[in-house]
Amino acid sequence: MSLHVVVGSGPVGSGTALLLASRGDQVRVVSRSGGGPEHPNVERVAADAGDAGRLSALAEGAVALYNCVNPAYHRWLTDWPPIASALLTAAERSGAVYVMTGSLYGYGEVDGPMTASTPLAATHPKLKLKADMWRAALAAHEAGRIRATEVRGSDYIEANSIFSFGLGAPLLAGKRAWSPTPLDVSHSWTSISDVAAVLTTVATDERAWGRAWPVPTEPPLTVRELATRFTAVAGVGEPKLSRIPAPVLGAIGLFSPMVKELRTTAYQFTRPFVLDSSESTEVFGLKPRPIDDSLREAVRSLSEG
């Protein structure tokens, strides 16, 4: 039974841990709270992800070390650097393959679909931070200090999503939902279960090491199209949608750090923001989860929460 260490107990970390555990692997989930999924093969440990010594000890003997940490977005510049440094140190000391949960932020504004080879051209400090984390891991990989790979998906569907952040509850209640983004621009949406599937695949496949991989993702949908599919699977009729006026959004941002940060990523919704994930399908045979299945899970999560 191989040991896999998953750092972070949020939706991605928990999903990854459960997938590994269901395959018969031993999984150690590390988080500040000591949380994580309940499973006979899952051990939950409370620890600071920024503590390199503690993290290195917990990763000793592991096949792979997964970065599934998700600091609050408005705290990225303060929280990420020590965590990223500790994870690199733990990967080097333990010899575990370092598997990073990436995103599309590092690309910055793009023209055309994004692939793993699209230049990481983001210039905003928070967006560039994500790109720099991968550059540091890749440099360590190329120097022979670690083995590293990264997985990049777009905005999630089931959790930490546009539905859980505001649209879902009113749509399920048959009320008007207010979107902070444009409603009719094509956008890629990624299933968390597909993120977990790629993370666990690239961890043990040498072909994956030393580069990044896009998460298999269904064809893009606009916010309006995605909301229409969401209400259809929920059985609540056509969605009532409006966009929050910019002055109102700005006023909300004065009191909400999360809403304030939307200005940084607004470019992702003002023109097509599309992930081309064909390479992962071609190399690993992975296909995206049907989007309606992911939306049903989003509905279930909101209904239970």
Side-chain angles (χ1 to χ4, degrees):
M1 183 181 293
S2 300
L3 172 63
H4 294 251
V5 175
V6 178
V7 184
S9 60
V12 173
S14 292
T16 300
L18 282 174
L19 182 55
L20 289 165
S22 68
R23 295 176 179 177
D25 289 312
Q26 179 186 354
V27 185
R28 180 173 293 149
V29 177
V30 181
S31 68
R32 187 180 295 275
S33 66
E38 294 187 7
H39 190 283
N41 292 343
V42 173
E43 173 193 7
R44 295 174 291 182
V45 178
D48 180 359
D51 183 339
R54 176 76 166 133
L55 209 55
S56 297
L58 290 169
E60 188 65 34
V63 170
L65 175 66
Y66 301 81
N67 179 355
C68 298
V69 183
N70 186 32
Y73 188 59
H74 66 283
R75 293 189 54 85
W76 273 18
L77 294 178
T78 55
D79 290 4
W80 262 129
I83 293 173
S85 176
L87 282 161
L88 273 179
T89 298
E92 184 171 1
R93 290 178 179 174
S94 67
V97 176
Y98 183 33
V99 189
M100 301 172 64
T101 306
S103 67
L104 307 184
Y105 291 146
Y107 294 126
E109 297 188 40
V110 296
D111 293 310
M114 290 163 282
T115 69
S117 59
T118 300
L120 295 172
T123 56
H124 186 283
K126 286 188 178 177
L127 307 183
K128 183 175 178 293
L129 173 65
K130 293 292 288 184
D132 287 344
M133 286 171 56
W134 168 242
R135 291 187 184 105
L138 182 59
H141 174 95
E142 292 175 343
R145 291 164 40 209
I146 66 171
R147 295 165 294 166
T149 183
E150 183 172 70
V151 169
R152 297 176 185 160
S154 192
D155 291 87
Y156 298 148
I157 300 171
E158 302 96 327
N160 295 342
S161 71
I162 194 167
F163 297 114
S164 57
F165 288 146
L167 297 189
L171 288 177
L172 290 178
K175 300 178 180 178
R176 181 166 299 278
W178 293 84
S179 171
T181 67
L183 301 176
D184 297 301
V185 179
S186 293
H187 193 91
S188 287
W189 309 92
T190 297
S191 169
I192 289 175
S193 66
D194 290 327
V195 178
V198 184
L199 287 170
T200 56
T201 296
V202 300
T204 56
D205 192 324
E206 294 185 19
R207 295 175 299 172
W209 303 342
R211 55 157 299 172
W213 297 91
V215 178
T217 296
E218 289 266 81
L221 296 171
T222 68
V223 171
R224 192 186 307 276
E225 290 170 336
L226 188 69
T228 300
R229 297 278 286 271
F230 176 82
T231 55
V233 301
V236 294
E238 289 292 314
K240 302 171 185 176
L241 285 173
S242 294
R243 183 182 179 185
I244 301 173
V248 174
L249 196 62
I252 297 172
L254 295 175
F255 305 96
S256 169
M258 187 66 184
V259 172
K260 182 180 179 180
E261 295 295 343
L262 291 176
R263 293 178 300 181
T264 305
T265 55
Y267 71 91
Q268 297 179 4
F269 292 90
T270 56
R271 56 183 175 179
F273 191 76
V274 178
L275 176 62
D276 177 355
S277 58
S278 57
E279 190 171 12
S280 293
T281 297
E282 293 167 2
V283 174
F284 304 115
L286 298 171
K287 297 181 180 180
R289 181 187 196 186
I291 200 162
D292 285 355
D293 289 349
S294 299
L295 288 170
R296 288 188 186 93
E297 187 169 330
V299 171
R300 183 168 58 252
S301 177
L302 283 164
S303 300
E304 293 173 352

